[in-house]
Amino acid sequence: MNVSATASSVPELRPGSAAKSLRDVLVVTRRNVIRTIRIPEVVVLSLVQPIVFVLLFAYIFAGSFSLPGAANAAAYREYMMPGFFAQTIAFATAGNSSVSMANDMQSGMVDRFRSLPMARGALLTGRTLADLVQNVMVMTVMVLCALLVGWRIHHGALRAAAAFALLLLMGYALSWVGVVIGLSVRAPEAAATSNFLWLFPLTFLSNAFVAPSTLPTVLRWAAEWNPLSATVQATRQLFGNPGLAATGAWPAQHPVLVSLSWSVLIAVVGRTLAVRRYRSAGT
């Protein structure tokens, strides 16, 4: 009798409810953020690494690259910094998403979440949102360090905020690629290794560090249509940094639109594949 009364007093769970799905996502996001904070080594390394790379590129590599229209190393730093922002966000997001998801798969955490009355995509969305929170912290550290080495914003706070939003959106989209990889491999080590197979071509075959006009024809075409190139070009325009790549390609002429389109497309396709893989992982 008591059991029946207790059961009748519990509100019925409706998996399709938007409010419940949002609550599930926030719970998983909070779990992942707290889990990261409780591992100080991860937090420290994720914040120290961007500082090391900024100093490395600004004071060692800046004088080794040639850029059309750049008179000195200081001009190249302003050209390089938006590309470095994008590269760091791409590596940090996709790498963390894939390894963390593979870790959850191997430890059985995914099976535990699957057995709970929660939205099916909450675990995946919570994972990507937690990475977005971490990216905000990494971006803050990078910007402060970049300002110290001479990088500047020339077009005001609103356009700068739009540039940072594009970088974070691109990182969020790539985190879904990392989730797909994490759900597809058998071990976190395999996830970490597989990231290099697509992140290196994505970041270095772009306009992040060299002007596409200096590349051979085929590589120049690939760099011009690279999703990362569109984001980097858009942020350079929004920040007002000098040394814009001299190219008449359509993506270079409409970088903000192309960056938004690529990020939304990657996020939608990545989420679709991730949910499909998540459902089939337990069968």
Side-chain angles (χ1 to χ4, degrees):
M1 188 68 175
N2 292 336
V3 174
S4 300
T6 302
S8 62
S9 65
V10 177
E12 181 182 357
L13 293 175
R14 293 180 293 177
S17 170
K20 181 184 182 301
S21 298
L22 177 60
R23 185 169 64 251
D24 293 341
V25 169
L26 293 178
V27 168
V28 177
T29 302
R30 182 174 178 271
R31 172 252 179 188
N32 289 326
V33 171
I34 293 177
R35 179 186 178 188
T36 301
I37 294 175
R38 288 179 176 175
I39 308 176
E41 297 87 351
V42 174
V43 178
V44 172
L45 289 176
S46 65
L47 297 180
V48 170
Q49 182 176 337
I51 298 176
V52 173
F53 279 123
V54 167
L55 298 177
L56 204 64
F57 274 92
Y59 291 109
I60 297 179
F61 295 141
S64 303
F65 289 90
S66 61
L67 180 69
N72 49 46
Y76 181 79
R77 287 175 194 159
E78 291 221 338
Y79 175 88
M80 172 269 295
M81 204 56 68
F84 178 72
F85 291 160
Q87 183 203 42
T88 303
I89 290 296
F91 270 91
T93 304
N96 189 51
S97 296
S98 61
V99 173
S100 297
M101 186 56 64
N103 207 1
D104 284 343
M105 287 282 291
Q106 188 181 56
S107 65
M109 186 61 66
V110 171
D111 293 331
R112 296 179 187 177
F113 276 112
R114 189 184 286 111
S115 66
L116 297 175
M118 62 185 297
R120 292 185 175 181
L123 175 63
L124 310 181
T125 305
R127 174 68 268 163
T128 57
L129 289 179
D131 291 333
L132 180 62
V133 173
Q134 183 174 346
N135 274 340
V136 173
M137 296 188 297
V138 172
M139 179 67 70
T140 302
V141 173
M142 282 194 298
V143 169
L144 293 176
C145 189
L147 291 172
L148 291 176
V149 300
W151 174 76
R152 293 294 182 268
I153 296 172
H154 302 285
H155 285 171
L158 289 179
R159 299 191 71 177
F164 291 128
L166 285 177
L167 288 168
L168 293 174
L169 179 61
M170 183 270 298
Y172 179 76
L174 294 180
S175 69
W176 283 107
V177 180
V179 168
V180 174
I181 294 175
L183 291 170
S184 303
V185 298
R186 297 184 179 182
E189 294 81 5
T193 303
S194 63
N195 286 325
F196 291 97
L197 298 178
W198 65 279
L199 282 173
F200 267 98
L202 180 72
T203 55
F204 287 101
L205 189 56
S206 68
N207 63 0
F209 304 114
V210 296
S213 58
T214 63
L215 300 175
T217 302
V218 176
L219 296 181
R220 182 175 69 246
W221 183 88
E224 289 171 344
W225 286 91
N226 187 331
L228 198 76
S229 292
T231 301
V232 173
Q233 184 78 354
T235 55
R236 284 188 180 125
Q237 289 187 1
L238 292 171
F239 288 139
N241 292 149
L244 296 177
T247 174
W250 194 86
Q253 301 301 317
H254 308 85
V256 176
L257 175 61
V258 176
S259 176
L260 283 171
S261 301
W262 269 121
S263 295
V264 172
L265 178 62
I266 293 172
V268 170
V269 174
R271 188 183 190 283
T272 301
L273 295 176
V275 171
R276 184 177 301 176
R277 181 61 185 166
Y278 175 70
R279 291 175 177 174
S280 63
T283 60

